[in-house]
Amino acid sequence: IRVWCLNQLMPLLILDDAHNAGIFSLRSLSPSLIVSGSRDRSIKVWNVGTWTVERALHPPHYDCVTDFAANAEGTRLYSASRDKSIKVWDTSSLESRVHAVHVHADWVTALAFSPQHNTLFSASKDGTIKGWDARMNCCAMLTGHKGPVTCLYALNEYLFSGSQDRTVRVWRPTI
């Protein structure tokens, strides 16, 4: 992990050996904490003041951690993995509350939380996007990409998705 000074575009700090494999995702939990997810299956919570690991979240995923999202209130952290699952973490206790397995037919590649819909969206290598309610019940399925969906972004009532099919789609989910 590298911590950059954006004014000078220079690294302020390099955290060597932050994980045992490549790091796929970083996300802010609060102004003082960030989380990192790695190919080594682990999720670590970092203190921004000291740049030390506050905690490694357990149990880890069974494969690479690919992305994170948080709900609008900041009370839930969602982690996605190549093990085709999504975990829901309570941000105050940092305990896993739900482990939704086989949520897609292939790797879960991206997550985005839509405050407008109070819905978590997940994307997959299988080319689909799914919407999940607060209990992790599937409430929407968006299809149309002809390749793996690699990224998601929720803005107001829209959901944007990017794919290896070289397209960006703009969705207006009705949930």
Side-chain angles (χ1 to χ4, degrees):
I1 295 175
R2 287 181 185 241
V3 181
W4 294 85
C5 172
L6 295 180
N7 292 332
Q8 298 175 338
L9 299 177
M10 305 232 351
L12 293 174
L13 179 67
I14 300 170
L15 302 172
D16 288 324
D17 303 318
H19 284 271
N20 294 326
I23 298 165
F24 280 39
S25 188
L26 294 168
R27 174 81 185 188
S28 173
L29 265 183
S30 71
S32 62
L33 298 174
I34 64 167
V35 291
S36 59
S38 171
R39 188 176 191 147
D40 68 10
R41 306 175 335 182
S42 70
I43 299 171
K44 293 183 179 179
V45 180
W46 298 84
N47 180 310
V48 174
T50 61
W51 292 108
T52 57
V53 175
E54 288 277 317
R55 187 164 173 189
L57 302 188
H58 292 285
H61 281 279
Y62 299 111
D63 204 337
C64 170
V65 178
T66 55
D67 202 8
F68 297 110
N71 67 346
E73 298 81 21
T75 57
R76 288 180 168 197
L77 173 72
Y78 302 92
S79 60
S81 173
R82 290 190 329 190
D83 65 11
K84 306 175 193 172
S85 77
I86 298 170
K87 282 194 168 201
V88 183
W89 305 86
D90 179 283
T91 57
S92 59
S93 68
L94 297 176
E95 297 293 326
S96 177
R97 299 294 182 215
V98 176
H99 188 184
V101 296
H102 303 295
V103 296
H104 282 277
D106 209 331
W107 303 352
V108 183
T109 54
L111 298 173
F113 189 85
S114 170
Q116 183 91 12
H117 299 95
N118 197 31
T119 302
L120 175 72
F121 288 95
S122 62
S124 175
K125 195 174 175 187
D126 67 14
T128 64
I129 300 164
K130 292 184 179 180
W132 305 93
D133 65 19
R135 295 180 184 195
M136 290 304 293
N137 295 312
C138 186
C139 59
M141 177 114 142
L142 308 173
T143 59
H145 280 291
K146 294 177 174 55
V149 181
T150 55
C151 53
L152 294 174
Y153 184 71
L155 178 66
N156 301 324
E157 72 269 21
Y158 300 105
L159 180 69
F160 298 82
S161 60
S163 170
Q164 287 184 12
D165 66 10
R166 302 184 330 233
T167 66
V168 172
R169 292 186 180 254
V170 182
W171 310 84
R172 186 182 281 166
T174 52
I175 297 173

